[in-house]
Amino acid sequence: MVRRFWVETLGCPKNQVDSDKLTGTLLADGLVPADGPEAADVVVVNTCAFVEEARQESIDTILALADARQDGADLVVTGCLAERYGDELAEALPEVDRVAGFGVPVTPGPRPPTGSGWVPVQLSGTRAARNGSAGDAGQRTGAATVPELDLLNLPRPAASVPWAYV
């Protein structure tokens, strides 16, 4: 069975680049794009936390996508809001299945135990990595760790329109 994903991007152009790289990783792992969040098995919200209005828009979008997703779909929050307020988001939004900070890929998988807070997960790899074993690179279990994943080296799908860095 083919798994489908939806990525919702908020904020600055850097977030769009991060979402493109996340999309490339999801495609490389065999997932295919969905026509909308209601048709996805994995719904990812790449959030912004630059100013209060952006934080509120991120929360509103997360809650809207939680309502729009199909039964059984995973809701993953990443981006600036997840990085800055990961523990608080994980605790305050029971609708969210995963909260993953910068540079840590996301995947569907079991929800962390209640009270465990912010737990990044791996997109592919071993079963232990998908299940969130304590040895996973980039996993936060108390003390902050630096993820081994470099966003600059992730695959990025071909652009559908011309673009260039300025």
Side-chain angles (χ1 to χ4, degrees), residues 51-139:
V51 295
E52 180 57 35
E53 291 81 9
R55 291 187 288 274
Q56 187 60 53
E57 179 185 20
S58 292
I59 297 294
D60 292 345
T61 301
I62 292 165
L63 294 174
L65 289 172
D67 290 340
R69 69 179 163 166
Q70 65 182 344
D71 288 341
D74 290 306
L75 179 60
V76 181
V77 176
T78 190
C80 301
L81 193 69
E83 182 64 22
R84 290 183 188 171
Y85 306 104
D87 288 327
E88 294 91 340
L89 282 176
E91 195 171 311
L93 295 173
E95 301 86 351
V96 174
D97 297 299
R98 295 285 187 206
V99 177
F102 292 129
V104 180
V106 296
T107 51
R111 185 180 176 94
T114 303
S116 66
W118 183 75
V119 182
V121 295
Q122 296 299 318
L123 185 57
S124 61
T126 66
R127 178 176 303 216
R130 284 191 298 274
N131 290 334
S133 72
D136 291 346
Q139 188 160 14

